[in-house]
Amino acid sequence: GGQSMPLFYDNTGGAVSEADLALSQNWTANGVKSLSLYFYGETGNSQAQLYVKINGTKVVYGGTAVALTEPFWHLWDIDLAATGANLNSVSQLTIGVEDAGAKGVVYIDDIRLYPEIFD
C-alpha cells in the first residue's frame, strides 16, 4: 500500500472526483478479458460510489458504497466484454468517486489486465 495511488475526493462543491490516466493501448490483444484493481478505504470516509470510465464508458462498482469506508483491500474485477467500451484503442482510463457531499480518500493499487475473469 505504500506505493498505491491516493484518490482524495471532496464532492461538497460538486458530485464527482476523478483521476485520469492517458493511454494508447489495445485491450483486445493477447486474450485480455478483465481489468482488475484493488482499492482500500478509510473508516472516516463518506459512503460513495466508486467507478471507472474506459474511453468515457462508465462502469460502476457492483459492491456497496460502504466499501469505501472499510480499511482493507477490496478486489474489483471488471469483465471488459460487458462494459460496451471500445477496447481496440483505449486512450483514457478514469477512476472516480461520485455522490454529492462525499469526502475522503481511497487508495488504488495493482491496476492490471488479465486473460481471465476472477468473479
Side-chain angles (χ1 to χ4, degrees):
Q3 294 182 339
S4 59
M5 177 188 81
L7 174 56
F8 293 92
Y9 59 99
D10 183 349
N11 298 351
T12 55
V16 301
S17 297
E18 295 182 332
D20 294 312
L21 178 63
L23 303 168
S24 179
Q25 298 177 337
N26 179 352
W27 286 7
T28 63
N30 303 312
V32 170
K33 293 185 180 166
S34 70
L35 168 68
S36 75
L37 61 85
Y38 282 86
F39 67 92
Y40 184 103
E42 291 190 348
T43 54
N45 288 350
S46 300
Q47 293 185 25
Q49 180 65 60
L50 183 65
Y51 64 89
V52 299
K53 290 182 191 173
I54 303 166
N55 286 344
T57 301
K58 188 176 183 178
V59 180
V60 297
Y61 175 64
T64 65
V66 77
L68 292 185
T69 69
E70 297 173 331
F72 55 86
W73 290 104
H74 294 269
L75 170 62
W76 183 14
D77 191 47
I78 301 165
D79 179 356
L80 290 172
T83 66
N86 175 4
L87 303 173
N88 292 318
S89 181
V90 176
S91 60
Q92 185 175 28
L93 176 65
T94 301
I95 301 171
V97 176
E98 67 182 349
D99 279 332
K103 291 176 72 173
V105 61
V106 61
Y107 299 92
I108 309 293
D109 209 345
D110 293 333
I111 303 169
R112 297 183 181 177
L113 298 172
Y114 285 101
E116 57 189 292
I117 300 167
F118 295 101
D119 289 335

